[in-house]
Every structure is written in structure tokens, then in C-alpha cells.
Amino acid sequence: YLRKITFNMRTILKIAIALAMASGLSSCGAARKIAADAPFRKDIVLFDPVSRIDIVGRQNLKEKSETFSADAQNLLKDKLCTFDSGVEINSIYVPEKLEEAFAIQEDIMTLAKWYIETDGGNLNYITIPETIDRFIEESGHRYGMVVYSEGYSRTGGNYALEVVKTIGIGILTGWVSAPYKDETHLYLMILDSDTDRIVYNRYCFGEYNPLKDKHIEKALKRTFSDFAD
């Protein structure tokens, strides 16, 4: 006979934590040590990062959260300014007009699109957008750093439902893959205004909450691991 199995919310959350610890994943591009005297490790102007964060709610549908996206963007900027990354950020570009800010965002999203479409390959042959190239030159620096992040965070109800589904599948198949509660993808690029090329790029993703300090610090540590001494 079949015995009815019920789970209360506390049990579901305990199982969710255990699953996450057992199968949490993260990944970055292949590590490559960057020489300490690499020219693009200094003379860098940082542009405001661009973030897109979705909320996953009922029916497992993603919907962009303007509030979460803005909060994630501000947190990422703060961490980039204070994080011991191994590169020397000399200044932060401050747009004089709103139109400039929008133009920079568009260029960063274009660069991220190229990155995604090429899977990070052959970016060295791409000419960087003219607008952001001009702003790098006007800043008085040779290199510009841009960062794009995207990710999601599940609502409590959605995550609990996904855990229940996972438990059911596990009972039937004997194999369990934990659903992510949160996820963040980071795309980092350093642009050379002299050659109009992307001289460095790095991609990293994992189960990082895009709105939590420690999670973003951990993601940045992996993203900048090529520059570690």
C-alpha cells in the first residue's frame, strides 16, 4: 500500500538547505594567471555596472524587478570600489547628463550581448562601441572597466513548491538536483581605448543572492581570481 507523506514548511526548508549544500554549483571561465605588470591592471576608469534581476514567483515565471535591479546595481558598484580585486581602479566615471548614463548602459548591454552570443570567444577582435570608447578617452585613462550582472531570486512560496517537486522526482528516480534559490551571472570586461579592443574578459555564475553583500563578495572573488597574487 501507499502511505501518504506530508511535509510542513519547516521540513521543506530543512530539506531545501540540505539539497543546496549537497549540490550547489558555481562556475567561472577557465583560470589564467594575469602577470603583475600587465598594463591593463592599472589606469582604469570604472563605469557604473548594469544589473537585471528577476523575481521568480507564481507559475515559475520570471519578471524583472526594477527595485531589485537598482539595489543589485548599487551593491555591485559599492563592492567594485572597495573590493581588493588586484586591479587599480583610478576613478569612477560620472555622467554629466542623463543621456550619457543611458548611452553607457546601452553600450554595456551591447557588450554583454556580444559576450553571451560568442560564449566569451573571439572578443579580442570586436571593436568596442564608439560612445563608451570616447568616454574612456575623455576620462583621461586608457582602460575602462564594465560589468554586467543578471540573475534572479525566488519568492519563498515558489522555492518551497520547487523543493516539493524535487523531492517527488527524487523519490521516483533516486536522483535529486536541488533548485537554486538565487542565481547571479557576472560579465566583466576591460576595454582599451587606444586599440578599441576588449583586452580582458571574465564570466562567472553561481548560486549567489544578487542582493547580499557576502554573496557578491564571493562572486567577485571568483571573477577576479586571475589577478590574485
Side-chain angles (χ1 to χ4, degrees):
Y1 64 94
L2 296 177
R3 183 174 62 181
K4 183 178 181 181
I5 301 175
T6 60
F7 298 99
N8 59 32
M9 184 61 70
R10 180 176 296 179
T11 301
I12 290 173
L13 291 176
K14 285 182 178 179
I15 294 173
I17 293 172
L19 289 172
M21 292 178 65
S23 60
L25 297 173
S26 62
S27 178
C28 292
R32 54 191 193 278
K33 185 69 174 177
I34 302 300
D37 59 352
F40 56 83
R41 293 185 69 141
K42 57 184 179 180
D43 194 22
I44 294 174
V45 57
L46 172 68
F47 291 90
D48 282 356
V50 176
S51 297
R52 183 206 165 97
I53 307 301
D54 295 332
I55 295 177
V56 184
R58 297 182 62 181
Q59 298 181 335
N60 217 32
L61 297 177
K62 290 183 179 180
E63 181 177 353
K64 181 181 179 181
S65 169
E66 297 292 347
T67 300
F68 281 11
S69 296
D71 289 347
Q73 182 170 313
N74 290 331
L75 175 59
L76 186 55
K77 179 181 178 180
D78 289 343
K79 292 302 176 184
L80 285 166
C81 292
T82 59
F83 184 75
D84 185 12
S85 62
V87 300
E88 185 180 331
I89 296 175
N90 301 94
S91 65
I92 301 170
Y93 189 84
V94 180
E96 296 182 357
K97 300 177 181 178
L98 193 59
E99 291 81 2
E100 285 187 6
F102 287 145
I104 291 169
Q105 286 186 356
E106 287 294 327
D107 279 357
I108 292 176
M109 287 189 289
T110 296
L111 288 163
K113 180 182 177 182
W114 290 344
Y115 199 133
I116 294 169
E117 289 178 347
T118 63
D119 197 24
N122 297 322
L123 288 176
N124 293 339
Y125 301 98
I126 291 176
T127 301
I128 63 178
E130 292 183 7
T131 302
I132 202 165
D133 181 35
R134 174 166 53 84
F135 288 146
I136 297 172
E137 292 175 351
E138 290 177 358
S139 74
H141 300 288
R142 175 174 177 177
Y143 301 101
M145 179 184 292
V146 298
V147 180
Y148 175 75
S149 74
E150 62 182 14
Y152 64 80
S153 183
R154 295 181 186 273
T155 63
N158 173 271
Y159 187 55
L161 180 60
E162 290 303 303
V163 170
V164 170
K165 291 180 181 178
T166 298
I167 294 170
I169 293 172
I171 292 173
L172 293 174
T173 66
W175 184 80
V176 176
S177 177
Y180 275 12
K181 174 69 169 65
D182 312 286
E183 186 171 288
T184 296
H185 298 250
L186 288 180
Y187 301 86
L188 163 70
M189 283 163 276
I190 297 178
L191 317 177
D192 186 345
S193 63
D194 281 3
T195 63
D196 299 333
R197 294 290 188 266
I198 300 168
V199 293
Y200 178 80
N201 60 272
R202 178 79 161 169
Y203 164 69
C204 189
F205 84 92
E207 192 173 7
Y208 305 119
N209 186 315
L211 302 176
K212 289 188 176 180
D213 283 29
K214 296 299 182 183
H215 284 231
I216 294 304
E217 286 179 4
K218 186 179 294 186
L220 288 176
K221 183 177 181 179
R222 294 178 63 87
T223 303
F224 284 100
S225 60
D226 290 348
F227 298 96
D229 294 330

